[in-house]
Amino acid sequence: MTLPIDPSPLIISLATTCAATVATFFLGIAGGAAHVRCARQSACVGRRILTLPAGASATVVGFFLLLILGRRSFIGHALEGIGITIVFSWPATVIAATVVAFPLMYRTTLAPLSK
């Protein structure tokens, strides 16, 4: 018996959501804890860099991720040299979702950790 619809997009979306949520949770707490421990002026600059994706549209964030992880970039070229292709793959969706959601988790963890 075949299903009238293909469930693979739903499965991919659920897997991406679960993986990005777990990654954002742990990275956000780690980033907030590191920021609280480091109270220097550089921490303010670090906070602005880490929350930059919150102020940019998803299109701009995606474009910068393509610039950073694309095949012509230093990182993308190095990853391709060892056989890893990130762009237009499932891990890319997890990375993009994590980058967009990270600033929200990071800001949320700063308040309770600062006290």
Side-chain angles (χ1 to χ4, degrees):
M1 178 177 172
T2 61
L3 294 174
I5 60 172
D6 183 17
S8 61
L10 178 63
I11 294 168
I12 291 170
S13 295
L14 289 173
T16 299
T17 302
C18 291
T21 300
V22 169
T24 303
F25 178 76
F26 289 112
L27 291 173
I29 290 175
H35 177 78
V36 169
R37 276 188 250 128
C38 179
R40 298 187 312 258
Q41 180 66 18
S42 63
C44 184
V45 173
R47 181 177 181 185
R48 288 190 178 138
I49 290 172
L50 290 176
T51 58
L52 193 62
S57 69
T59 305
V60 173
V61 173
F63 176 71
F64 280 115
L65 285 173
L66 279 173
L67 286 178
I68 293 169
L69 298 174
R71 293 181 182 178
R72 294 185 181 178
S73 71
F74 176 74
I75 296 172
H77 188 67
L79 288 173
E80 192 174 351
I82 59 173
I84 299 173
T85 303
I86 297 288
V87 179
F88 303 116
S89 65
W90 181 77
T93 63
V94 175
I95 292 169
T98 302
V99 167
V100 170
F102 174 79
L104 301 172
M105 185 63 186
Y106 174 73
R107 286 183 188 174
T108 304
T109 57
L110 283 179
L113 293 175
S114 299
K115 294 180 180 183

